[in-house]
Amino acid sequence: MLDLSRIPLVDQHCHGVVTGAIDGPGFEQMLTESRHPLPPGASWFDTQLGLAVRALCPPLIGLRPHASPADYLSRRAELGVEELNRRLLRSTGISDYLVDTGLEGSLLQPSEIAALSGSRAYEVVRLETIAEQVLRNGTSAAGFAAAFAEALGEATRTAVALKSIVAYRHGLDLDPARPSADEVRTAVGTWLADIDATGDDRLTDPILLRYLLWTGLETGLPLQLHTGFGDADLTLNRSDPALLTPFLRAMRPAGGAVILLHCYPYHRNAAYLAHIFPHVYVDVGLTVNYVGHRAGAVIAETLELAPFAKVLFSTDAYGLPELYAVGAALFRKHLQRLFAGWLAEDACTPADAERFARMIAGGNAGQLYHLAQ
Ligand SMILES: [Zn+2]
């Protein structure tokens, strides 16, 4: 009998957990990628993610499954942030957390997540954040390339991967060519002039965004790319991972792996890319949480074409410890149900199913990121 309830998980893409108490509206705001309100009287709890939180999290804090949002929020507040974080993180069976530290806000750092969860945690460095810090620390157009390379070297000394949000800042329909030194210098000059004029230092220049990707590849670290749905800054049709095809072709000789994160509703396109390109991997972490009870369908569609050695588990949890608990529990439940169906139809043996589950849950990530066993 296949039992995935204890299989160790490597969460290959997640963020920190908020360190302070949050109220009900603050909690609901973290159950959505939108920054806009629902119609009067409506609640973000009435979504797939909200249902999953109510189904899975109350028993972890001493309530019955499907407790009302009001009861859940009140028990949560009573428990206190640290105890809540400890209980929910320790419920997951996650052995390793790969934490993208590029988001701002008061969030637990990788070492704090490790201490609280009793597991290992590693840092993933966000390219755009490093470039913006270099600008804030003061650099000239001519000095940027060297300053960025030095800052990236420093930031990645203990990191296991890089991350880029080029999908948010431009779109994945990129010119694949590596920019020349002249192009970089001119683009940084324009960026500095724009900052003087507007005060906004957000990096959106496609030449520089490409430069970051190419410079990142030179570190030899695996490169995680946001694709598919996300928050309101995103233009969805420009985040289809299939748009990356020219870049994936161009970068292949440089070596290095690319991990397509989130992917929905383009997870089938991402699975195709993982099928075709030897250096491409796929993850549907954020998606599993957001589609909740439909997670089985998304996992099944991803496994239609992606080789099982190229599929990775993650939660993409951000802010709420509930997102770790829900991501891990939904993944276990729906992978189990999927493989049980395959076994019932004699599509594979129990030994095959267990092997595939261990690969996707953590074995593939352990190899890709060279994690300590
Ligand atoms: Zn993320």
Side-chain angles (χ1 to χ4, degrees):
M1 175 70 182
L2 185 68
D3 178 9
L4 305 184
S5 60
R6 288 189 196 292
I7 199 166
L9 302 174
V10 172
D11 188 350
Q12 69 100 36
H13 173 64
C14 62
H15 304 273
V17 179
V18 286
T19 53
I22 41 175
D23 60 10
F27 185 92
E28 281 204 44
Q29 205 49 51
M30 301 197 86
L31 293 181
T32 168
E33 292 285 339
S34 176
R35 63 169 77 101
H36 304 293
L38 287 169
S43 164
W44 288 108
F45 272 103
D46 293 342
T47 59
Q48 286 284 1
L49 176 54
L51 281 183
V53 167
R54 284 180 51 214
L56 299 166
C57 296
L60 303 173
I61 58 171
L63 298 174
R64 289 166 188 265
H66 311 291
S68 73
D71 287 351
Y72 184 74
L73 290 170
S74 118
R75 171 71 182 135
R76 189 183 194 281
E78 193 179 283
L79 214 51
V81 178
E82 198 172 327
E83 178 58 17
L84 176 83
N85 285 343
R86 181 179 298 105
R87 284 201 198 185
L88 295 190
L89 288 180
R90 289 186 183 233
S91 77
T92 60
I94 292 171
S95 62
D96 300 79
Y97 295 83
L98 272 61
V99 186
D100 169 3
T101 52
L103 279 170
E104 293 180 357
S106 186
L107 298 167
L108 291 181
Q109 294 303 298
S111 60
E112 296 169 305
I113 290 178
L116 204 61
S117 63
S119 302
R120 293 174 290 261
Y122 305 88
E123 185 176 10
V124 175
V125 168
R126 195 181 277 204
L127 290 167
E128 292 81 7
T129 305
I130 302 295
E132 286 163 357
Q133 279 165 0
V134 166
L135 255 274
R136 273 171 218 156
N137 292 342
T139 186
S140 64
F144 174 81
F148 176 68
E150 191 186 335
L152 188 61
E154 184 62 28
T156 54
R157 267 192 306 146
T158 57
V160 295
L162 298 171
K163 156 108 185 267
S164 167
I165 52 164
V166 63
Y168 278 98
R169 297 301 182 84
H170 172 73
L172 299 178
D173 44 348
L174 290 169
D175 176 347
R178 186 188 170 117
S180 70
D182 272 354
E183 285 177 308
V184 172
R185 199 164 39 242
T186 306
V188 176
T190 308
W191 187 17
L192 287 167
D194 284 351
I195 296 171
D196 279 345
T198 65
D200 181 4
D201 64 1
R202 202 173 127 92
L203 174 54
T204 56
D205 184 311
I207 293 172
L208 293 178
L209 291 165
R210 268 158 55 205
Y211 177 70
L212 266 48
L213 295 178
W214 280 101
T215 311
L217 287 173
E218 284 167 6
T219 65
L221 291 171
L223 175 62
Q224 301 183 339
L225 294 179
H226 173 97
T227 73
F229 81 122
D231 69 34
D233 278 347
L234 193 78
T235 302
L236 184 62
N237 62 315
R238 295 182 69 190
S239 71
D240 180 344
L243 294 170
L244 283 169
T245 306
F247 176 71
L248 296 173
R249 280 198 189 111
M251 64 159 282
R252 205 193 138 202
V258 167
I259 301 93
L260 305 172
L261 301 175
H262 319 328
C263 304
Y264 183 87
Y266 308 113
H267 49 287
R268 281 174 149 163
N269 297 15
Y272 166 77
L273 295 170
H275 182 102
I276 291 295
F277 291 109
H279 55 312
V280 176
Y281 293 73
V282 59
D283 156 302
V284 288
L286 181 67
T287 305
V288 164
N289 270 357
Y290 270 86
V291 304
H293 191 61
R294 289 281 295 157
V298 172
I299 296 171
E301 286 174 356
T302 305
L303 295 181
E304 285 169 349
L305 216 49
F308 308 146
K310 311 288 268 325
V311 180
L312 306 164
F313 162 76
S314 83
T315 62
D316 198 19
Y318 163 60
L320 300 178
E322 281 82 358
L323 300 178
Y324 284 100
V326 165
L330 285 175
F331 173 78
R332 286 179 197 283
K333 174 178 169 182
H334 289 282
L335 196 66
Q336 167 99 33
R337 285 178 56 180
L338 178 67
F339 284 159
W342 291 13
L343 289 172
E345 292 161 19
D346 199 27
C348 66
T349 67
D352 282 333
E354 166 114 24
R355 186 164 59 86
F356 301 151
R358 287 187 179 277
M359 288 161 60
I360 296 166
N364 295 337
Q367 270 186 15
L368 176 62
Y369 299 106
H370 306 292
L371 304 181
Q373 293 303 308

